[in-house]
Amino acid sequence: MKINNSIITLKWWRNSLLWAVLASISLSAQAMTLTELQQTLSAPKVVRGDFSQSRTMAMFNQPLVSNGQFVIAANQGLWWHQTTPMTVSLVLTQNKLSQQFDNQPPQIISAAQNPMVFYFSHIFLALFNGDTSALDQQFNLKLTTLAVDNNNADAHNSTNQWQLVLIPKQAPLNKVFTRITLAGNKFINKLTLAEVRGDKTVITFSHQRTTPASLTTEEHRVFKF
């Protein structure tokens, strides 16, 4: 009888512990909605940070790696400033695109000149701005909320970790990408582009910051072209 009681007690403690763990996970990872995600990502008017991009292509044995800084500004666009392995400045707004290599004159394209380029450009602006309403028109969206990593020194400053998987609904996106995955907390920390032909691009973002809250004089100049 003592043995049976011990087994019953052990099972009770094991089940209680299991439920306690499940409850703590549930409480620490409240399900986030797409609307809440959009509000989180669109709250800052300006976000600056660093990026590291790794592109794996079937034709190369080693991934192509580049690094630089970025600025995403509401009502302005995206400034993608690659510094290694070569200097490239890409500025993307709703109706114009400027690309400059090293000290060469910038190449400027308008939406009227190349509508297809801007079709994809608007998709990427929506990605960086967390515009889930716009993305929902082009993709099937699956949002997963993960628990905050309490071992992370920045955990107390962040919202829950999340992952958003985007599956293209139709051409031309589904002819290029099998899926796009975003992951982050109060900022986007990683963007993964998986292509139909097997190539993959992984962009990791770091040192994101929201101050100063408005564009600097230099940043204003970059977006005026």
PDB file of all heavy atoms in Angstrom, residues 157-195:
ATOM      1  N   ASN A 157      12.806  44.690 -21.715  1.00  0.00           N
ATOM      2  CA  ASN A 157      12.526  45.843 -22.565  1.00  0.00           C
ATOM      3  C   ASN A 157      11.757  45.476 -23.817  1.00  0.00           C
ATOM      4  O   ASN A 157      11.500  46.325 -24.659  1.00  0.00           O
ATOM      5  CB  ASN A 157      13.843  46.528 -22.978  1.00  0.00           C
ATOM      6  CG  ASN A 157      14.548  47.155 -21.792  1.00  0.00           C
ATOM      7  OD1 ASN A 157      13.897  47.682 -20.898  1.00  0.00           O
ATOM      8  ND2 ASN A 157      15.870  47.084 -21.783  1.00  0.00           N
ATOM      9  N   SER A 158      11.412  44.215 -23.956  1.00  0.00           N
ATOM     10  CA  SER A 158      10.823  43.774 -25.219  1.00  0.00           C
ATOM     11  C   SER A 158       9.429  43.213 -25.017  1.00  0.00           C
ATOM     12  O   SER A 158       9.022  42.856 -23.919  1.00  0.00           O
ATOM     13  CB  SER A 158      11.708  42.710 -25.877  1.00  0.00           C
ATOM     14  OG  SER A 158      11.711  41.545 -25.094  1.00  0.00           O
ATOM     15  N   THR A 159       8.691  43.148 -26.092  1.00  0.00           N
ATOM     16  CA  THR A 159       7.421  42.460 -26.088  1.00  0.00           C
ATOM     17  C   THR A 159       7.696  40.981 -26.324  1.00  0.00           C
ATOM     18  O   THR A 159       8.840  40.550 -26.421  1.00  0.00           O
ATOM     19  CB  THR A 159       6.524  43.003 -27.218  1.00  0.00           C
ATOM     20  OG1 THR A 159       7.192  42.799 -28.474  1.00  0.00           O
ATOM     21  CG2 THR A 159       6.259  44.490 -27.034  1.00  0.00           C
ATOM     22  N   ASN A 160       6.631  40.179 -26.399  1.00  0.00           N
ATOM     23  CA  ASN A 160       6.827  38.762 -26.684  1.00  0.00           C
ATOM     24  C   ASN A 160       7.512  38.568 -28.024  1.00  0.00           C
ATOM     25  O   ASN A 160       7.320  39.336 -28.957  1.00  0.00           O
ATOM     26  CB  ASN A 160       5.469  38.043 -26.702  1.00  0.00           C
ATOM     27  CG  ASN A 160       4.947  37.802 -25.300  1.00  0.00           C
ATOM     28  OD1 ASN A 160       5.705  37.791 -24.342  1.00  0.00           O
ATOM     29  ND2 ASN A 160       3.646  37.624 -25.181  1.00  0.00           N
ATOM     30  N   GLN A 161       8.280  37.510 -28.098  1.00  0.00           N
ATOM     31  CA  GLN A 161       8.896  37.136 -29.359  1.00  0.00           C
ATOM     32  C   GLN A 161       7.798  36.604 -30.291  1.00  0.00           C
ATOM     33  O   GLN A 161       6.870  35.936 -29.841  1.00  0.00           O
ATOM     34  CB  GLN A 161       9.953  36.054 -29.134  1.00  0.00           C
ATOM     35  CG  GLN A 161      11.033  36.437 -28.131  1.00  0.00           C
ATOM     36  CD  GLN A 161      11.969  37.488 -28.684  1.00  0.00           C
ATOM     37  OE1 GLN A 161      12.341  37.430 -29.844  1.00  0.00           O
ATOM     38  NE2 GLN A 161      12.344  38.441 -27.855  1.00  0.00           N
ATOM     39  N   TRP A 162       7.916  36.879 -31.573  1.00  0.00           N
ATOM     40  CA  TRP A 162       6.916  36.432 -32.527  1.00  0.00           C
ATOM     41  C   TRP A 162       7.588  36.003 -33.822  1.00  0.00           C
ATOM     42  O   TRP A 162       8.730  36.370 -34.106  1.00  0.00           O
ATOM     43  CB  TRP A 162       5.885  37.530 -32.815  1.00  0.00           C
ATOM     44  CG  TRP A 162       6.503  38.845 -33.201  1.00  0.00           C
ATOM     45  CD1 TRP A 162       6.776  39.906 -32.386  1.00  0.00           C
ATOM     46  CD2 TRP A 162       6.988  39.226 -34.497  1.00  0.00           C
ATOM     47  NE1 TRP A 162       7.389  40.912 -33.085  1.00  0.00           N
ATOM     48  CE2 TRP A 162       7.531  40.525 -34.390  1.00  0.00           C
ATOM     49  CE3 TRP A 162       7.005  38.586 -35.739  1.00  0.00           C
ATOM     50  CZ2 TRP A 162       8.082  41.196 -35.476  1.00  0.00           C
ATOM     51  CZ3 TRP A 162       7.566  39.253 -36.823  1.00  0.00           C
ATOM     52  CH2 TRP A 162       8.087  40.551 -36.674  1.00  0.00           C
ATOM     53  N   GLN A 163       6.845  35.236 -34.595  1.00  0.00           N
ATOM     54  CA  GLN A 163       7.290  34.833 -35.932  1.00  0.00           C
ATOM     55  C   GLN A 163       6.097  34.919 -36.885  1.00  0.00           C
ATOM     56  O   GLN A 163       5.014  34.438 -36.577  1.00  0.00           O
ATOM     57  CB  GLN A 163       7.833  33.405 -35.926  1.00  0.00           C
ATOM     58  CG  GLN A 163       8.241  32.904 -37.307  1.00  0.00           C
ATOM     59  CD  GLN A 163       8.814  31.499 -37.268  1.00  0.00           C
ATOM     60  OE1 GLN A 163       9.988  31.304 -37.029  1.00  0.00           O
ATOM     61  NE2 GLN A 163       7.959  30.502 -37.486  1.00  0.00           N
ATOM     62  N   LEU A 164       6.321  35.556 -38.009  1.00  0.00           N
ATOM     63  CA  LEU A 164       5.276  35.710 -39.020  1.00  0.00           C
ATOM     64  C   LEU A 164       5.745  35.049 -40.304  1.00  0.00           C
ATOM     65  O   LEU A 164       6.758  35.434 -40.879  1.00  0.00           O
ATOM     66  CB  LEU A 164       4.981  37.195 -39.265  1.00  0.00           C
ATOM     67  CG  LEU A 164       3.908  37.509 -40.322  1.00  0.00           C
ATOM     68  CD1 LEU A 164       2.551  36.967 -39.875  1.00  0.00           C
ATOM     69  CD2 LEU A 164       3.821  39.016 -40.581  1.00  0.00           C
ATOM     70  N   VAL A 165       4.998  34.038 -40.749  1.00  0.00           N
ATOM     71  CA  VAL A 165       5.300  33.320 -41.991  1.00  0.00           C
ATOM     72  C   VAL A 165       4.331  33.790 -43.064  1.00  0.00           C
ATOM     73  O   VAL A 165       3.112  33.807 -42.847  1.00  0.00           O
ATOM     74  CB  VAL A 165       5.210  31.801 -41.800  1.00  0.00           C
ATOM     75  CG1 VAL A 165       5.470  31.074 -43.114  1.00  0.00           C
ATOM     76  CG2 VAL A 165       6.197  31.335 -40.732  1.00  0.00           C
ATOM     77  N   LEU A 166       4.879  34.166 -44.216  1.00  0.00           N
ATOM     78  CA  LEU A 166       4.070  34.659 -45.327  1.00  0.00           C
ATOM     79  C   LEU A 166       4.222  33.715 -46.511  1.00  0.00           C
ATOM     80  O   LEU A 166       5.329  33.488 -47.000  1.00  0.00           O
ATOM     81  CB  LEU A 166       4.509  36.064 -45.735  1.00  0.00           C
ATOM     82  CG  LEU A 166       4.507  37.155 -44.661  1.00  0.00           C
ATOM     83  CD1 LEU A 166       5.850  37.234 -43.950  1.00  0.00           C
ATOM     84  CD2 LEU A 166       4.187  38.519 -45.277  1.00  0.00           C
ATOM     85  N   ILE A 167       3.115  33.152 -46.971  1.00  0.00           N
ATOM     86  CA  ILE A 167       3.093  32.273 -48.132  1.00  0.00           C
ATOM     87  C   ILE A 167       2.406  33.023 -49.268  1.00  0.00           C
ATOM     88  O   ILE A 167       1.233  33.410 -49.142  1.00  0.00           O
ATOM     89  CB  ILE A 167       2.338  30.967 -47.844  1.00  0.00           C
ATOM     90  CG1 ILE A 167       2.899  30.281 -46.590  1.00  0.00           C
ATOM     91  CG2 ILE A 167       2.400  30.044 -49.056  1.00  0.00           C
ATOM     92  CD1 ILE A 167       4.327  29.824 -46.724  1.00  0.00           C
ATOM     93  N   PRO A 168       3.105  33.258 -50.388  1.00  0.00           N
ATOM     94  CA  PRO A 168       2.496  34.006 -51.501  1.00  0.00           C
ATOM     95  C   PRO A 168       1.226  33.341 -52.003  1.00  0.00           C
ATOM     96  O   PRO A 168       1.157  32.126 -52.142  1.00  0.00           O
ATOM     97  CB  PRO A 168       3.591  34.005 -52.569  1.00  0.00           C
ATOM     98  CG  PRO A 168       4.864  33.753 -51.829  1.00  0.00           C
ATOM     99  CD  PRO A 168       4.503  32.868 -50.682  1.00  0.00           C
ATOM    100  N   LYS A 169       0.220  34.176 -52.300  1.00  0.00           N
ATOM    101  CA  LYS A 169      -1.053  33.661 -52.783  1.00  0.00           C
ATOM    102  C   LYS A 169      -1.060  33.439 -54.292  1.00  0.00           C
ATOM    103  O   LYS A 169      -1.738  32.540 -54.787  1.00  0.00           O
ATOM    104  CB  LYS A 169      -2.181  34.634 -52.420  1.00  0.00           C
ATOM    105  CG  LYS A 169      -2.477  34.757 -50.941  1.00  0.00           C
ATOM    106  CD  LYS A 169      -3.613  35.745 -50.718  1.00  0.00           C
ATOM    107  CE  LYS A 169      -3.973  35.869 -49.245  1.00  0.00           C
ATOM    108  NZ  LYS A 169      -5.077  36.843 -49.022  1.00  0.00           N
ATOM    109  N   GLN A 170      -0.341  34.277 -55.010  1.00  0.00           N
ATOM    110  CA  GLN A 170      -0.471  34.266 -56.465  1.00  0.00           C
ATOM    111  C   GLN A 170       0.780  34.822 -57.123  1.00  0.00           C
ATOM    112  O   GLN A 170       1.691  35.316 -56.457  1.00  0.00           O
ATOM    113  CB  GLN A 170      -1.689  35.111 -56.864  1.00  0.00           C
ATOM    114  CG  GLN A 170      -1.599  36.540 -56.362  1.00  0.00           C
ATOM    115  CD  GLN A 170      -2.924  37.278 -56.394  1.00  0.00           C
ATOM    116  OE1 GLN A 170      -3.960  36.694 -56.666  1.00  0.00           O
ATOM    117  NE2 GLN A 170      -2.893  38.577 -56.133  1.00  0.00           N
ATOM    118  N   ALA A 171       0.790  34.742 -58.479  1.00  0.00           N
ATOM    119  CA  ALA A 171       1.888  35.304 -59.259  1.00  0.00           C
ATOM    120  C   ALA A 171       1.810  36.843 -59.200  1.00  0.00           C
ATOM    121  O   ALA A 171       0.725  37.401 -59.034  1.00  0.00           O
ATOM    122  CB  ALA A 171       1.790  34.819 -60.701  1.00  0.00           C
ATOM    123  N   PRO A 172       2.963  37.497 -59.302  1.00  0.00           N
ATOM    124  CA  PRO A 172       4.288  36.949 -59.571  1.00  0.00           C
ATOM    125  C   PRO A 172       5.047  36.504 -58.320  1.00  0.00           C
ATOM    126  O   PRO A 172       6.106  35.901 -58.424  1.00  0.00           O
ATOM    127  CB  PRO A 172       5.007  38.122 -60.243  1.00  0.00           C
ATOM    128  CG  PRO A 172       4.418  39.323 -59.596  1.00  0.00           C
ATOM    129  CD  PRO A 172       2.974  38.993 -59.356  1.00  0.00           C
ATOM    130  N   LEU A 173       4.505  36.788 -57.114  1.00  0.00           N
ATOM    131  CA  LEU A 173       5.255  36.482 -55.896  1.00  0.00           C
ATOM    132  C   LEU A 173       5.515  34.991 -55.735  1.00  0.00           C
ATOM    133  O   LEU A 173       6.613  34.585 -55.340  1.00  0.00           O
ATOM    134  CB  LEU A 173       4.502  37.021 -54.682  1.00  0.00           C
ATOM    135  CG  LEU A 173       4.562  38.529 -54.471  1.00  0.00           C
ATOM    136  CD1 LEU A 173       3.596  38.957 -53.377  1.00  0.00           C
ATOM    137  CD2 LEU A 173       5.978  38.970 -54.128  1.00  0.00           C
ATOM    138  N   ASN A 174       4.504  34.146 -56.036  1.00  0.00           N
ATOM    139  CA  ASN A 174       4.701  32.713 -55.845  1.00  0.00           C
ATOM    140  C   ASN A 174       5.580  32.081 -56.919  1.00  0.00           C
ATOM    141  O   ASN A 174       5.895  30.892 -56.842  1.00  0.00           O
ATOM    142  CB  ASN A 174       3.355  31.990 -55.752  1.00  0.00           C
ATOM    143  CG  ASN A 174       2.549  32.068 -57.027  1.00  0.00           C
ATOM    144  OD1 ASN A 174       2.983  32.670 -58.013  1.00  0.00           O
ATOM    145  ND2 ASN A 174       1.373  31.455 -57.028  1.00  0.00           N
ATOM    146  N   LYS A 175       5.979  32.863 -57.917  1.00  0.00           N
ATOM    147  CA  LYS A 175       6.950  32.396 -58.902  1.00  0.00           C
ATOM    148  C   LYS A 175       8.380  32.685 -58.457  1.00  0.00           C
ATOM    149  O   LYS A 175       9.340  32.177 -59.043  1.00  0.00           O
ATOM    150  CB  LYS A 175       6.695  33.051 -60.262  1.00  0.00           C
ATOM    151  CG  LYS A 175       5.300  32.822 -60.826  1.00  0.00           C
ATOM    152  CD  LYS A 175       5.005  31.354 -61.036  1.00  0.00           C
ATOM    153  CE  LYS A 175       3.622  31.157 -61.649  1.00  0.00           C
ATOM    154  NZ  LYS A 175       3.292  29.711 -61.814  1.00  0.00           N
ATOM    155  N   VAL A 176       8.495  33.507 -57.429  1.00  0.00           N
ATOM    156  CA  VAL A 176       9.818  33.905 -56.927  1.00  0.00           C
ATOM    157  C   VAL A 176      10.084  33.329 -55.544  1.00  0.00           C
ATOM    158  O   VAL A 176      11.143  32.755 -55.289  1.00  0.00           O
ATOM    159  CB  VAL A 176       9.948  35.438 -56.886  1.00  0.00           C
ATOM    160  CG1 VAL A 176      11.318  35.855 -56.351  1.00  0.00           C
ATOM    161  CG2 VAL A 176       9.710  36.046 -58.262  1.00  0.00           C
ATOM    162  N   PHE A 177       9.098  33.452 -54.630  1.00  0.00           N
ATOM    163  CA  PHE A 177       9.299  33.042 -53.240  1.00  0.00           C
ATOM    164  C   PHE A 177       8.379  31.881 -52.866  1.00  0.00           C
ATOM    165  O   PHE A 177       7.203  31.859 -53.250  1.00  0.00           O
ATOM    166  CB  PHE A 177       9.011  34.208 -52.281  1.00  0.00           C
ATOM    167  CG  PHE A 177       9.867  35.425 -52.519  1.00  0.00           C
ATOM    168  CD1 PHE A 177       9.312  36.577 -53.061  1.00  0.00           C
ATOM    169  CD2 PHE A 177      11.218  35.420 -52.214  1.00  0.00           C
ATOM    170  CE1 PHE A 177      10.083  37.697 -53.285  1.00  0.00           C
ATOM    171  CE2 PHE A 177      12.001  36.537 -52.435  1.00  0.00           C
ATOM    172  CZ  PHE A 177      11.433  37.684 -52.976  1.00  0.00           C
ATOM    173  N   THR A 178       8.927  30.929 -52.103  1.00  0.00           N
ATOM    174  CA  THR A 178       8.091  29.892 -51.516  1.00  0.00           C
ATOM    175  C   THR A 178       7.497  30.397 -50.209  1.00  0.00           C
ATOM    176  O   THR A 178       6.348  30.119 -49.884  1.00  0.00           O
ATOM    177  CB  THR A 178       8.887  28.607 -51.242  1.00  0.00           C
ATOM    178  OG1 THR A 178       9.998  28.903 -50.380  1.00  0.00           O
ATOM    179  CG2 THR A 178       9.396  28.009 -52.544  1.00  0.00           C
ATOM    180  N   ARG A 179       8.305  31.148 -49.453  1.00  0.00           N
ATOM    181  CA  ARG A 179       7.831  31.751 -48.216  1.00  0.00           C
ATOM    182  C   ARG A 179       8.777  32.861 -47.778  1.00  0.00           C
ATOM    183  O   ARG A 179       9.953  32.880 -48.139  1.00  0.00           O
ATOM    184  CB  ARG A 179       7.693  30.723 -47.090  1.00  0.00           C
ATOM    185  CG  ARG A 179       9.004  30.143 -46.578  1.00  0.00           C
ATOM    186  CD  ARG A 179       8.768  29.243 -45.377  1.00  0.00           C
ATOM    187  NE  ARG A 179       7.788  28.222 -45.671  1.00  0.00           N
ATOM    188  CZ  ARG A 179       7.048  27.607 -44.746  1.00  0.00           C
ATOM    189  NH1 ARG A 179       7.180  27.920 -43.476  1.00  0.00           N
ATOM    190  NH2 ARG A 179       6.186  26.676 -45.092  1.00  0.00           N
ATOM    191  N   ILE A 180       8.227  33.758 -46.998  1.00  0.00           N
ATOM    192  CA  ILE A 180       9.010  34.822 -46.363  1.00  0.00           C
ATOM    193  C   ILE A 180       8.722  34.739 -44.875  1.00  0.00           C
ATOM    194  O   ILE A 180       7.562  34.622 -44.461  1.00  0.00           O
ATOM    195  CB  ILE A 180       8.634  36.205 -46.910  1.00  0.00           C
ATOM    196  CG1 ILE A 180       8.943  36.298 -48.409  1.00  0.00           C
ATOM    197  CG2 ILE A 180       9.370  37.312 -46.155  1.00  0.00           C
ATOM    198  CD1 ILE A 180       8.481  37.595 -49.058  1.00  0.00           C
ATOM    199  N   THR A 181       9.769  34.791 -44.053  1.00  0.00           N
ATOM    200  CA  THR A 181       9.588  34.672 -42.609  1.00  0.00           C
ATOM    201  C   THR A 181      10.188  35.877 -41.900  1.00  0.00           C
ATOM    202  O   THR A 181      11.346  36.238 -42.135  1.00  0.00           O
ATOM    203  CB  THR A 181      10.248  33.386 -42.074  1.00  0.00           C
ATOM    204  OG1 THR A 181       9.751  32.258 -42.798  1.00  0.00           O
ATOM    205  CG2 THR A 181       9.957  33.211 -40.596  1.00  0.00           C
ATOM    206  N   LEU A 182       9.375  36.492 -41.059  1.00  0.00           N
ATOM    207  CA  LEU A 182       9.829  37.595 -40.210  1.00  0.00           C
ATOM    208  C   LEU A 182       9.828  37.116 -38.767  1.00  0.00           C
ATOM    209  O   LEU A 182       8.933  36.371 -38.353  1.00  0.00           O
ATOM    210  CB  LEU A 182       8.891  38.796 -40.332  1.00  0.00           C
ATOM    211  CG  LEU A 182       8.796  39.511 -41.684  1.00  0.00           C
ATOM    212  CD1 LEU A 182       7.618  40.478 -41.670  1.00  0.00           C
ATOM    213  CD2 LEU A 182      10.075  40.252 -41.983  1.00  0.00           C
ATOM    214  N   ALA A 183      10.815  37.555 -37.986  1.00  0.00           N
ATOM    215  CA  ALA A 183      10.858  37.208 -36.570  1.00  0.00           C
ATOM    216  C   ALA A 183      11.379  38.403 -35.789  1.00  0.00           C
ATOM    217  O   ALA A 183      12.217  39.162 -36.282  1.00  0.00           O
ATOM    218  CB  ALA A 183      11.752  35.986 -36.333  1.00  0.00           C
ATOM    219  N   GLY A 184      10.864  38.587 -34.580  1.00  0.00           N
ATOM    220  CA  GLY A 184      11.332  39.713 -33.781  1.00  0.00           C
ATOM    221  C   GLY A 184      10.574  39.858 -32.491  1.00  0.00           C
ATOM    222  O   GLY A 184       9.917  38.935 -32.005  1.00  0.00           O
ATOM    223  N   ASN A 185      10.661  41.067 -31.919  1.00  0.00           N
ATOM    224  CA  ASN A 185       9.867  41.420 -30.738  1.00  0.00           C
ATOM    225  C   ASN A 185       9.264  42.797 -30.987  1.00  0.00           C
ATOM    226  O   ASN A 185       8.335  42.925 -31.749  1.00  0.00           O
ATOM    227  CB  ASN A 185      10.701  41.343 -29.452  1.00  0.00           C
ATOM    228  CG  ASN A 185      12.092  41.936 -29.622  1.00  0.00           C
ATOM    229  OD1 ASN A 185      12.265  43.016 -30.197  1.00  0.00           O
ATOM    230  ND2 ASN A 185      13.102  41.247 -29.125  1.00  0.00           N
ATOM    231  N   LYS A 186       9.825  43.848 -30.389  1.00  0.00           N
ATOM    232  CA  LYS A 186       9.297  45.176 -30.701  1.00  0.00           C
ATOM    233  C   LYS A 186       9.889  45.705 -32.009  1.00  0.00           C
ATOM    234  O   LYS A 186       9.411  46.703 -32.552  1.00  0.00           O
ATOM    235  CB  LYS A 186       9.579  46.163 -29.568  1.00  0.00           C
ATOM    236  CG  LYS A 186      11.040  46.432 -29.279  1.00  0.00           C
ATOM    237  CD  LYS A 186      11.161  47.419 -28.130  1.00  0.00           C
ATOM    238  CE  LYS A 186      12.626  47.676 -27.790  1.00  0.00           C
ATOM    239  NZ  LYS A 186      12.758  48.644 -26.679  1.00  0.00           N
ATOM    240  N   PHE A 187      10.934  45.041 -32.504  1.00  0.00           N
ATOM    241  CA  PHE A 187      11.504  45.321 -33.819  1.00  0.00           C
ATOM    242  C   PHE A 187      11.564  44.010 -34.610  1.00  0.00           C
ATOM    243  O   PHE A 187      11.477  42.924 -34.036  1.00  0.00           O
ATOM    244  CB  PHE A 187      12.927  45.888 -33.718  1.00  0.00           C
ATOM    245  CG  PHE A 187      13.044  47.160 -32.946  1.00  0.00           C
ATOM    246  CD1 PHE A 187      13.770  47.206 -31.764  1.00  0.00           C
ATOM    247  CD2 PHE A 187      12.440  48.328 -33.394  1.00  0.00           C
ATOM    248  CE1 PHE A 187      13.891  48.379 -31.051  1.00  0.00           C
ATOM    249  CE2 PHE A 187      12.552  49.514 -32.689  1.00  0.00           C
ATOM    250  CZ  PHE A 187      13.280  49.544 -31.511  1.00  0.00           C
ATOM    251  N   ILE A 188      11.749  44.116 -35.912  1.00  0.00           N
ATOM    252  CA  ILE A 188      12.060  42.940 -36.727  1.00  0.00           C
ATOM    253  C   ILE A 188      13.531  42.613 -36.519  1.00  0.00           C
ATOM    254  O   ILE A 188      14.398  43.456 -36.734  1.00  0.00           O
ATOM    255  CB  ILE A 188      11.777  43.214 -38.219  1.00  0.00           C
ATOM    256  CG1 ILE A 188      10.291  43.514 -38.439  1.00  0.00           C
ATOM    257  CG2 ILE A 188      12.207  42.018 -39.065  1.00  0.00           C
ATOM    258  CD1 ILE A 188       9.969  43.955 -39.851  1.00  0.00           C
ATOM    259  N   ASN A 189      13.812  41.396 -36.089  1.00  0.00           N
ATOM    260  CA  ASN A 189      15.192  40.981 -35.844  1.00  0.00           C
ATOM    261  C   ASN A 189      15.770  40.119 -36.959  1.00  0.00           C
ATOM    262  O   ASN A 189      16.982  40.047 -37.118  1.00  0.00           O
ATOM    263  CB  ASN A 189      15.286  40.216 -34.517  1.00  0.00           C
ATOM    264  CG  ASN A 189      14.970  41.103 -33.331  1.00  0.00           C
ATOM    265  OD1 ASN A 189      15.211  42.309 -33.360  1.00  0.00           O
ATOM    266  ND2 ASN A 189      14.415  40.514 -32.287  1.00  0.00           N
ATOM    267  N   LYS A 190      14.881  39.450 -37.697  1.00  0.00           N
ATOM    268  CA  LYS A 190      15.365  38.580 -38.777  1.00  0.00           C
ATOM    269  C   LYS A 190      14.332  38.513 -39.893  1.00  0.00           C
ATOM    270  O   LYS A 190      13.130  38.429 -39.636  1.00  0.00           O
ATOM    271  CB  LYS A 190      15.676  37.171 -38.267  1.00  0.00           C
ATOM    272  CG  LYS A 190      16.216  36.229 -39.342  1.00  0.00           C
ATOM    273  CD  LYS A 190      16.464  34.835 -38.798  1.00  0.00           C
ATOM    274  CE  LYS A 190      17.701  34.787 -37.922  1.00  0.00           C
ATOM    275  NZ  LYS A 190      18.051  33.380 -37.554  1.00  0.00           N
ATOM    276  N   LEU A 191      14.836  38.533 -41.120  1.00  0.00           N
ATOM    277  CA  LEU A 191      14.001  38.393 -42.312  1.00  0.00           C
ATOM    278  C   LEU A 191      14.619  37.305 -43.176  1.00  0.00           C
ATOM    279  O   LEU A 191      15.799  37.380 -43.532  1.00  0.00           O
ATOM    280  CB  LEU A 191      13.942  39.722 -43.070  1.00  0.00           C
ATOM    281  CG  LEU A 191      13.350  39.708 -44.492  1.00  0.00           C
ATOM    282  CD1 LEU A 191      11.909  39.250 -44.463  1.00  0.00           C
ATOM    283  CD2 LEU A 191      13.472  41.085 -45.130  1.00  0.00           C
ATOM    284  N   THR A 192      13.835  36.282 -43.508  1.00  0.00           N
ATOM    285  CA  THR A 192      14.313  35.167 -44.322  1.00  0.00           C
ATOM    286  C   THR A 192      13.472  35.068 -45.590  1.00  0.00           C
ATOM    287  O   THR A 192      12.243  34.994 -45.515  1.00  0.00           O
ATOM    288  CB  THR A 192      14.244  33.835 -43.552  1.00  0.00           C
ATOM    289  OG1 THR A 192      14.982  33.954 -42.332  1.00  0.00           O
ATOM    290  CG2 THR A 192      14.832  32.710 -44.386  1.00  0.00           C
ATOM    291  N   LEU A 193      14.149  35.074 -46.717  1.00  0.00           N
ATOM    292  CA  LEU A 193      13.483  34.961 -48.020  1.00  0.00           C
ATOM    293  C   LEU A 193      13.872  33.628 -48.649  1.00  0.00           C
ATOM    294  O   LEU A 193      15.047  33.413 -48.985  1.00  0.00           O
ATOM    295  CB  LEU A 193      13.904  36.113 -48.934  1.00  0.00           C
ATOM    296  CG  LEU A 193      13.734  37.533 -48.376  1.00  0.00           C
ATOM    297  CD1 LEU A 193      14.448  38.545 -49.260  1.00  0.00           C
ATOM    298  CD2 LEU A 193      12.264  37.890 -48.266  1.00  0.00           C
ATOM    299  N   ALA A 194      12.929  32.728 -48.791  1.00  0.00           N
ATOM    300  CA  ALA A 194      13.179  31.423 -49.414  1.00  0.00           C
ATOM    301  C   ALA A 194      12.614  31.452 -50.828  1.00  0.00           C
ATOM    302  O   ALA A 194      11.412  31.693 -51.015  1.00  0.00           O
ATOM    303  CB  ALA A 194      12.532  30.308 -48.592  1.00  0.00           C
ATOM    304  N   GLU A 195      13.475  31.211 -51.805  1.00  0.00           N
ATOM    305  CA  GLU A 195      13.070  31.334 -53.203  1.00  0.00           C
ATOM    306  C   GLU A 195      12.712  29.980 -53.817  1.00  0.00           C
ATOM    307  O   GLU A 195      13.160  28.928 -53.351  1.00  0.00           O
ATOM    308  CB  GLU A 195      14.193  31.997 -54.010  1.00  0.00           C
ATOM    309  CG  GLU A 195      14.530  33.397 -53.531  1.00  0.00           C
ATOM    310  CD  GLU A 195      15.620  34.053 -54.362  1.00  0.00           C
ATOM    311  OE1 GLU A 195      15.793  33.662 -55.538  1.00  0.00           O
ATOM    312  OE2 GLU A 195      16.309  34.950 -53.835  1.00  0.00           O
TER     313      GLU A 195
END
